[in-house]
Amino acid sequence: MGERAGKPRAARALRIAAAAVAGAVVVACGGGPGAAGTTAQDANGTVQLVMAPDPVWKWLEDQGIKQEMEQAAGIQVLASSSWDEFGVYAGGHADVISAATYEVPDLEEATGEPATVFGMYNGDRSILAVAAGSPEQNLCDLKGKKIATYTSVSITLIWGMYAKKFCDLDLRAGGGDYEVVVTDVQNMSSLVARGDADACLCLPDFAIPDLAGGALRPLYDSKAAAQLYAEHFGSNKQADSHPQTNVFVARKAWVERNPEEANFLIALWDRGIKEWEANRDAIIDAYPEDFAVRSPEESAFLKDWLANRYDWFAPTAFLDQQWVTEETELFDLMKETGFMDEDVAAPNFTVLTPST
């Protein structure tokens, strides 16, 4: 399900300005019924969810919580696993997927149908890190340097906006003021540690050995992209859940026609977030592979990072109007920095009311 606790989504094209990503923007994924204009159907108590492997979802199932909630509500969530949620959704084979907020306009373009964001899950946890002995202190110092990332879009767009605002520099794949190297997510930190790259836009859980061993030094006081956004750009400096790399998205017509099923899905994930808050260490211990954890020492490092630096799980899966307003501000920043076309509209949001 998108950029999970341990697995990032594959790079997907966004409808952004040509200055941001070299080459043509590709948004279509196959010619399924969604591409032809799917008509929303009655869900009849069933939600078709497509997601990447997720430890909290596994916990909900293994603890019997999902099954208990389904039985009480008379609603069933049928989840299938795929790293290409975008393609499955565009093909009309999923009711709900997750995506970054700024990917939703692309989903609409690929399907020809209005979409809506009706729940949230993960903030952007990526950090900027250099080798321990490197003198660079920020993005500006890294001008002309080689920066490793796992995608030309997604987190690279966010850090590209920061480079523009902080340094008036162009950070993008295929050109600009940096040499951006797109590589496998597992290799980014090791490239920096052995001197084959000068910095990385790393996900902390995938860089645990090099961070814990001291080979990697995070810049900006180890702050995640979402924390930097709150500090420098967000109207609410206390809200570190923006920008979201995982929001729950469905066709707008589906949510309007099936409000009970939509509400149940978000309530289920909200329970998952509460389980995460109460049992975070136990969930990491139960599913270490979903956090790229390979040893007790790495597990301890990750638990400390989540407790004392940044926990990227949102405080609730339910949206409220204040949060929607704050998340939408991201689009203004993207347009201001040239990372999104001026004519792209902010996505639609559906605020659901939790059942009492």
Side-chain angles (χ1 to χ4, degrees), residues 139-140 142-147 163-164 167-172 174-180:
L139 276 166
C140 309
L142 286 164
K143 180 181 180 180
K145 301 291 187 177
K146 185 181 294 186
I147 299 180
K164 184 65 177 177
C167 320
D168 196 25
L169 295 175
D170 183 8
L171 170 63
R172 62 184 171 93
D177 297 310
Y178 304 84
E179 184 182 350
V180 175

Side-chain angles (χ1 to χ4, degrees), residues 271-286:
R271 174 63 183 275
I273 289 174
K274 290 180 173 61
E275 290 293 318
W276 171 253
E277 292 172 347
N279 303 288
R280 184 173 60 198
D281 288 359
I283 293 173
I284 294 171
D285 291 338

Side-chain angles (χ1 to χ4, degrees), residues 10-78:
R12 298 181 185 133
L14 299 173
R15 187 181 171 221
I16 54 179
V21 172
V25 175
V26 180
V27 295
C29 296
T38 300
T39 301
Q41 303 293 325
D42 287 331
N44 294 319
T46 300
V47 180
Q48 300 283 348
L49 173 67
V50 174
M51 52 185 284
D54 183 272
V56 171
W57 183 256
K58 292 178 181 178
W59 178 268
L60 288 171
E61 290 190 315
D62 292 347
Q63 297 297 313
I65 297 169
K66 172 180 176 286
Q67 296 86 336
E68 290 176 7
M69 291 183 66
E70 287 178 327
Q71 185 173 5
I75 297 173
Q76 186 178 19
V77 179
L78 302 179

Side-chain angles (χ1 to χ4, degrees), residues 69-94:
M69 291 183 66
E70 287 178 327
Q71 185 173 5
I75 297 173
Q76 186 178 19
V77 179
L78 302 179
S80 57
S81 181
S82 174
W83 294 112
D84 185 23
E85 303 103 308
F86 188 106
V88 175
Y89 179 93
H93 305 299

Side-chain angles (χ1 to χ4, degrees), residues 6 20 35 37 78 101 117 119 126 149 158-159 177 186 203 206 208 214 242 283 301 308 314:
L78 302 179
T101 308
V117 175
S126 59
T149 181
I158 301 301
W159 286 96
D177 297 310
Q186 289 93 347
L203 304 183
F206 276 93
I208 290 175
H242 311 283
I283 293 173
F301 181 86
N308 297 308

Side-chain angles (χ1 to χ4, degrees), residues 10 18 34 46 57 63 67 130 138 147 158 164 168 178 187 191 218 225 238 241-242 254 292 311 321-322 325 348 351:
T46 300
W57 183 256
Q63 297 297 313
Q67 296 86 336
V130 297
N138 50 47
I147 299 180
I158 301 301
K164 184 65 177 177
D168 196 25
Y178 304 84
N187 295 332
L191 284 178
Q238 309 307 313
S241 61
H242 311 283
W254 184 89
D311 184 337
Q321 192 54 55
Q322 177 180 338
T325 299
N348 179 271
V351 176

